[in-house]
């Protein structure tokens, strides 16, 4: 899988909200709910949790995980290993079957969208500060079973020993993609943006599977094919490319 990204500037949108003041409460609620897009699946757990008594947050640094422990978490059927390093680092090499979510983005939202929040979780980070920040973010949505963190800036040494499987994900620009499509039009382009983004515009011939739907999607038709993923800026396409389903391609 190859991840396609571009530099992306945020557009500031404004809208006239005056109509809301002329609606009844029921009309307002119905209108808002009707226009909601997809939302993280961990939301379903927030109501009961918020109604209950708060638990004390774990503010101490996560314990150190050695490489072997991290690999076990990545490969466990009921556990997860989330790599929160900058996506340039995780793309260069990450432990196979780990989920790459750049900690500088919406880490908690995306982890809670893709993975169950009640499973054992290990963290891969490039510093203890980054690992502690990731732990706090995940605990805010109810990820309470954080086993520890493996601190590393690169995994080449572990890969060289042959003791762990390290996956790299090539990164490319849209210019690279255009060139590749001219040479090999049979490649598969996977658009992992949200439905409203795709409706606005999309690349002809691309397949649409939003990033949060990848874990449950049937990707068998992509086996043996060269797959490129894209979103708006590379954050979601990196997540999609590292999902356990995608790493089989």
């Amino acid at each position: 899988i190859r991840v396609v990204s571009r530099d992306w500037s945020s557009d500031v949108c404004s809208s006239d909200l005056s109509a809301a003041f002329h609606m009844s409460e029921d009309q307002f609620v119905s209108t808002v709910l009707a226009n909601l897009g997809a939302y993280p699946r961990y939301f379903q757990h927030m109501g009961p949790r918020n109604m209950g008594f708060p638990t004390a947050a774990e503010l101490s640094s996560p314990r150190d995980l050695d490489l072997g422990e991290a690999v076990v978490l990545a490969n466990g059927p009921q556990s997860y290993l989330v790599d929160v390093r900058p996506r340039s680092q995780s793309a260069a090499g990450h432990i196979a079957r780990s989920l790459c979510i750049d900690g500088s983005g919406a880490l908690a939202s995306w982890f809670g969208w893709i993975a169950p929040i009640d499973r054992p979780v290990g963290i891969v980070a490039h510093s203890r500060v980054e690992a502690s920040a990731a732990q706090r973010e995940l605990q805010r949505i109810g990820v309470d079973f954080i086993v520890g963190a493996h601190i590393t800036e690169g995994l080449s040494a572990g890969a060289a020993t042959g003791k762990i499987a390290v996956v790299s994900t090539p990164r490319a620009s849209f210019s690279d993609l255009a060139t590749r499509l001219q040479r090999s039009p049979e490649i598969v382009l996977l658009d992992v943006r949200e439905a409203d983004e795709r409706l606005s515009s999309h690349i002809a011939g691309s397949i649409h599977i939003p990033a949060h739907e990848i874990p449950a999607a049937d990707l068998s038709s992509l086996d043996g094919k060269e797959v490129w993923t894209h979103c708006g800026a590379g954050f979601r396409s990196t997540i999609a490319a590292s999902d356990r389903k995608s790493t089989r391609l």
Side-chain angles (χ1 to χ4, degrees), residues 101-111 137 235 239:
I101 309 178
D102 191 327
S104 65
L107 167 62
S109 292
W110 275 102
F111 182 85
E137 286 295 309
F235 184 86
I239 296 172

Side-chain angles (χ1 to χ4, degrees), residues 51-71:
M51 293 292 288
F53 290 101
T55 57
E58 177 55 68
L59 300 179
S60 60
S61 298
R63 76 171 182 87
D64 288 348
L65 294 177
D66 63 34
L67 195 54
E69 290 176 300
V71 171

Side-chain angles (χ1 to χ4, degrees), residues 123-139:
I123 297 169
V124 176
H126 78 279
S127 70
R128 285 179 172 77
V129 171
E130 185 179 59
S132 295
Q135 176 180 252
R136 289 194 299 272
E137 286 295 309
L138 292 171
Q139 286 182 329

Side-chain angles (χ1 to χ4, degrees), residues 29-40:
V29 171
S30 297
T31 300
V32 170
L33 292 179
N35 290 314
L36 282 179
Y39 54 87

